[in-house]
Structure formats: structure tokens, C-alpha cells
Amino acid sequence: EPEVTQTPSHQVTQMGQEVILRCVPISNHLYFYWYRQILGQKVEFLVSFYNNEISEKSEIFDDQFSVERPDGSNFTLKIRSTKLEDSAMYFCASSIREGRGTGELFFGEGSRLTVL
Amino acid sequence: DAKTTQPNSMESNEEEPVHLPCNHSTISGTDYIHWYRQLPSQGPEYVIHGLTSNVNNRMASLAIAEDRKSSTLILHRATLRDAAVYYCILRDKGGADGLTFGKGTHLIIQP
């Protein structure tokens, strides 16, 4: 069964460093998402991406965050200068069609980011 | 997206049916009812969704009240692998793209 894959599974970084989290969505999917989950808290929406541009973002997704689909298969989340509060599990998701209403999202296993 | 209310936790025995309730009294006519679950240390997983009619798939059934102000996710025969947090989420077809997760219901399965 096709799945969303994420790398790395765990990354430890120093505060202020740049981090790139990578995702390979399901191949025929068109809509891509990043979510995060701070330990013990709710899953939070960060950003959605379609047709090579951001279609929606939450207030969490500030200027320190960016997303890119550099080569038609990978979908990346970059955090320019990490802060302690960026420590979380980051989930990538994809959907074959628009998530609104009926679209089913497929999530990856997540990338755990620890900022020291 | 309209708000949903779920019990914080529920407990059931293995191989018995489980009924997970969700209240959504402010649901609008264009809101779809989605259920996702999150197994321990994993990403969320789609379970089922519906609009007005009851729905069945290989994972579960979704029973939607006639007034649509509540719904119930039914696991027909729970296994230990069904222990997870279950999220009931309303998705407006014309609204925001991102899923809004609440705290969900923590389902505990006893062997």
C-alpha cells in the first residue's frame, strides 16, 4: 500500500540552527500538508501546499518556516533558526484531492525534532 | 470549522463492539464529519467520513443522527491494535483546508 515517508525520523539540533525535514508524498497526490504535535498536546495544522504554492497557513507558520517541492517528489519543511519551542513531532500528509469536505489525508510516521 | 465534543477517554474489552460518540450541535449543512485516529507514536490515520447517511468501510461504521448534531463511530469488534486517540473533525467543503484536531477520545482496550 502506498505511504507517505518522512526523513529523518529524529533530528537533534542546537537552537538557532536551520533544519530541513523531508517528506515523500504518495506519488499521484496533489495536495500536501505539514502538521506538528508538541509532546502531549494536540496535532496542529501548519501549512497546505498545492500547485507549487502555499494554499493556506496557520498563525504558527511564521517567517521562520518555509516549504518547498523542489523536484516533483520531495516536499520539504525548513525552519530557518530553530527555537526551543519548535521541539515537536512534525507530520507530513498528502491528499489526492482537495482536503476540504471530502478529501482524505494520508499522514507519514513523523519526524521528531529536538532543539537543545 | 464547527466545534466537536468528545469524551476524554473510553474503555472497552477486546472483541467487543465500541461506540465512540461525538457531538457537533453547531454543524452546518455543508460540513462533512470525518474521523481520524492516532495510534501511539504514529501519525494520524483516516478512518471514515460521511455527510448525512450512515457509512461503512473495512475499518469502521459511522452512524449519523438524523439532525446531524451528533455521530457515532462504531468499531464492530475491537482489537488491541484499535487502542488509539480517535478524533471527530468537521470539514466544511468551502472552508479551511487544514484539519483542526481537538483532544479526541483516548480509547483503551482491555484484553
Side-chain angles (χ1 to χ4, degrees):
Chain A
E1 187 173 318
E3 58 181 18
V4 175
T5 57
Q6 292 186 238
T7 55
S9 56
H10 188 194
Q11 180 155 357
V12 181
T13 190
Q14 295 292 323
M15 191 169 54
Q17 295 296 303
E18 176 182 284
V19 160
I20 297 176
L21 305 178
R22 291 181 169 79
C23 169
V24 179
I26 295 172
S27 63
N28 61 339
H29 284 192
L30 302 175
Y31 299 86
F32 313 109
Y33 309 83
W34 282 101
Y35 290 77
R36 79 172 187 189
Q37 186 173 32
I38 295 169
L39 187 63
Q41 298 189 23
K42 297 187 288 186
V43 177
E44 300 174 291
F45 168 73
L46 293 179
V47 66
S48 59
F49 191 86
Y50 168 70
N51 199 26
N52 277 323
E53 61 182 26
I54 290 172
S55 53
E56 187 187 2
K57 60 183 181 179
S58 72
E59 57 187 29
I60 301 170
F61 193 88
D62 61 21
D63 291 344
Q64 291 297 314
F65 291 89
S66 63
V67 289
E68 196 177 38
R69 189 157 160 78
D71 56 12
S73 61
N74 289 287
F75 179 50
T76 62
L77 174 70
K78 181 192 291 186
I79 309 174
R80 288 190 183 82
S81 177
T82 51
K83 299 175 279 195
L84 294 176
E85 53 265 38
D86 293 327
S87 294
M89 183 72 89
Y90 288 81
F91 295 108
C92 174
S94 69
S95 175
I96 195 167
R97 61 182 178 273
E98 193 173 18
R100 300 173 189 182
T102 60
E104 166 187 348
L105 271 65
F106 293 81
F107 285 81
E109 295 288 316
S111 292
R112 178 167 299 285
L113 175 64
T114 302
V115 182
L116 302 176
Chain B
D1 293 324
K3 187 177 169 59
T4 63
T5 304
Q6 299 178 253
N8 288 334
S9 66
M10 288 184 64
E11 200 166 311
S12 182
N13 295 319
E14 199 177 8
E15 299 187 6
E16 289 185 357
V18 179
H19 291 233
L20 296 163
C22 180
N23 286 318
H24 28 79
S25 58
T26 59
I27 192 170
S28 74
T30 54
D31 281 336
Y32 284 78
I33 302 160
H34 285 246
W35 284 81
Y36 282 76
R37 71 180 185 180
Q38 187 174 21
L39 278 64
S41 302
Q42 293 192 27
E45 175 186 30
Y46 168 81
V47 178
I48 201 167
H49 78 273
L51 183 61
T52 55
S53 304
N54 294 345
V55 185
N56 300 297
N57 66 19
R58 63 177 178 82
M59 289 182 71
S61 296
L62 176 60
I64 301 172
E66 202 169 321
D67 64 5
R68 301 210 325 126
K69 293 186 176 181
S70 65
S71 60
T72 303
L73 179 71
I74 303 165
L75 307 179
H76 294 286
R77 198 161 166 267
T79 68
L80 294 176
R81 198 195 170 277
D82 292 320
V85 180
Y86 286 79
Y87 302 98
C88 171
I89 302 170
L90 301 184
R91 304 293 311 285
D92 182 352
K93 191 172 185 181
D97 195 19
L99 289 169
T100 302
F101 286 84
K103 294 184 179 179
T105 296
H106 183 199
L107 177 63
I108 299 163
I109 304 295
Q110 297 290 355

